[in-house]
Amino acid sequence: MQVPKFFDIIVHPRETAKAQISKVNMKEAQKTYLILGAIVGLFIALILLVIFSVAGSGSNQSGMDDVLAGLGLAIIIVVPVVMALATLVFAYITNGIQYLIAQVFGGKGKFETHFYVFSRTLWPLAVTGIIMFVLSAIPIIGWLIPFFWQLYVIYLSAILISVIHQVSMPKAFAIELLPLVLGFIIASIVAATIVAGIIASLGVGLIG
């Protein structure tokens, strides 16, 4: 059974990444992130509209329908635009961090190449993610499917990093996972600081 070319970067990541390196197009990459963000934003907007409709259905206040209609129109326009821009900004930040770490590890790839190649994974991963979500409903073993899929996604990203920056797989895994580890450490420190502050405040309040 032949896998559609749409999924080539998932099924044949090394070969596909090597081919994509010579096709770098930043405008195409940016458009991919913007469209994906807008679609996610549209789903969020529709969910918000349903919530507001349910909340407003029990109201008898005059003019409430007009307010909800105006609010709904604003949500449909604003949320997708905000999500599209936020997705693009987040993509620049995350790819930029990985690129800088790759440089520290001796990577030779360009930021544009890193950004573009990873943008080519968005739609295949989004479609496959939906499939995995559906398969997770299988009784007993369903939860194992997305678990092993996430492990493969980590492996897939490491392969792409290895090809883009011409580094070994161990270095590629380090480049990929180091930001996550650092993020977890920073988040833990912040959380511990907040909890310590709350406990200290409660202690002062009890003593007072």
Side-chain angles (χ1 to χ4, degrees):
M1 180 179 177
Q2 187 176 6
V3 178
K5 289 184 69 65
F6 178 78
F7 295 103
D8 273 357
I9 200 160
I10 294 177
V11 181
H12 309 293
R14 191 173 296 277
E15 297 82 358
T16 307
K18 288 179 180 178
Q20 292 292 335
I21 286 175
S22 61
K23 303 176 182 179
V24 174
N25 185 330
M26 285 296 285
K27 288 184 178 180
E28 186 67 26
Q30 292 165 351
K31 184 171 71 173
T32 302
Y33 282 108
L34 286 170
I35 293 174
L36 181 63
I39 291 175
V40 173
L42 181 59
F43 276 108
I44 294 174
L46 292 175
I47 292 171
L48 290 174
L49 284 179
V50 171
I51 293 173
F52 285 133
S53 297
V54 172
S57 61
S59 175
N60 295 320
Q61 296 181 18
S62 68
M64 181 58 69
D65 289 341
D66 293 336
V67 172
L68 289 175
L71 185 60
L73 180 61
I75 288 174
I76 285 291
I77 295 174
V78 173
V79 175
V81 171
V82 171
M83 279 301 300
L85 295 175
T87 300
L88 182 60
V89 170
F90 184 74
Y92 267 104
I93 293 173
T94 54
N95 282 283
I97 291 173
Q98 278 195 342
Y99 168 75
L100 291 175
I101 295 176
Q103 296 303 298
V104 173
F105 279 87
K108 299 177 182 179
K110 296 181 179 179
F111 171 76
E112 291 80 3
T113 305
H114 186 109
F115 191 86
Y116 176 76
V117 172
F118 271 91
S119 75
R120 300 304 86 193
T121 68
L122 292 180
W123 292 120
L125 286 179
V127 172
T128 312
I130 294 173
I131 295 172
M132 294 301 160
F133 176 76
V134 173
L135 292 177
S136 68
I138 297 175
I140 302 175
I141 64 169
W143 67 274
L144 289 172
I145 296 174
F147 173 75
F148 284 111
W149 170 244
Q150 287 303 318
L151 292 180
Y152 179 74
V153 170
I154 293 173
Y155 173 70
L156 168 67
S157 298
I159 291 178
L160 298 182
I161 291 171
S162 175
V163 172
I164 295 167
H165 297 285
Q166 301 174 41
V167 295
S168 65
M169 284 298 288
K171 285 187 177 181
F173 276 113
I175 292 167
E176 178 187 7
L177 298 177
L178 189 57
L180 298 178
V181 174
L182 292 176
F184 176 77
I185 293 173
I186 292 172
S188 298
I189 293 174
V190 171
T193 303
I194 293 173
V195 171
I198 293 172
I199 292 174
S201 299
L202 291 174
V204 171
L206 290 173
I207 293 173

